[in-house]
Amino acid sequence: EGGIHNSGSIIALTSGNSAAGLRLGSSIISGGITNSGFIGGANGIYTDNGSNISGGILNTGTTNGSVAGGIRLSSYSEVSGGLTNSGLIQGRTAISIDSNSAVYGGISNVGLIAGTNGAAIVNQNSGNTIDIITTISGGGQIGTIVGAINGYANVTNAGLWAL
């Protein structure tokens, strides 16, 4: 099965804009990241230096960035297999993708994606317009985005989007 699977707590004990509960630098993860617990720090999940996550990111727990991103992709990082959320992703910017990083497979949300500083999702990569789909689950859970969506995105919203 591979990948990283968390059902407990991963908490960064250091502060600063690049500290993270889960930080990947120059890393390749096969099998994705699955979180049903808590991942938190200045960033919840932070990738940089060409990191590649194949198999996507599945969050059913909480991913929290107290200073920066709930999920932050930087410096040529890629996620293939998309980002699926039915839990909570929050941070100053909940999901941040810099100009040379990408998420392939889009963002699917039936949980809560919340930006505490105005922006919920920022995609600065003009070469990778991301599909963002927020829906209501079969169990009636309403996908919610709190904050702006900035950058390059196609948004389909059947849930709640509040600025």
Side-chain angles (χ1 to χ4, degrees):
E1 193 172 296
I4 296 173
H5 305 278
N6 175 53
S7 59
S9 293
I10 301 174
I11 302 168
L13 298 178
T14 59
S15 60
N17 200 36
S18 62
L22 180 58
R23 181 166 182 184
L24 306 172
S26 303
S27 300
I28 297 173
I29 303 293
S30 177
I33 297 174
T34 302
N35 177 46
S36 60
F38 179 87
I39 300 175
N43 294 276
I45 298 171
Y46 178 38
T47 67
D48 65 358
N49 294 326
S51 292
N52 185 300
I53 301 167
S54 65
I57 297 174
L58 171 63
N59 181 61
T60 60
T62 298
T63 303
N64 180 54
S66 61
V67 174
I71 297 175
R72 180 177 170 197
L73 277 63
S74 180
S75 301
Y76 301 95
S77 294
E78 293 182 357
V79 173
S80 59
L83 195 159
T84 303
N85 179 54
S86 60
L88 169 62
I89 300 172
Q90 72 177 6
R92 289 179 59 101
T93 300
I95 300 170
S96 176
I97 304 162
D98 79 4
S99 62
N100 47 31
S101 296
V103 173
Y104 299 104
I107 297 172
S108 177
N109 178 47
V110 295
L112 173 59
I113 298 174
T116 59
N117 198 38
I121 302 170
V122 174
N123 179 22
Q124 298 176 2
N125 186 340
S126 62
N128 180 248
T129 299
I130 192 165
D131 293 320
I132 301 168
I133 301 172
T134 298
T135 60
I136 301 171
S137 73
Q141 180 175 342
I142 299 173
T144 303
I145 296 175
V146 177
I149 297 174
N150 296 334
Y152 303 90
N154 295 318
V155 181
T156 303
N157 182 38
L160 175 63
W161 183 8
L163 296 177

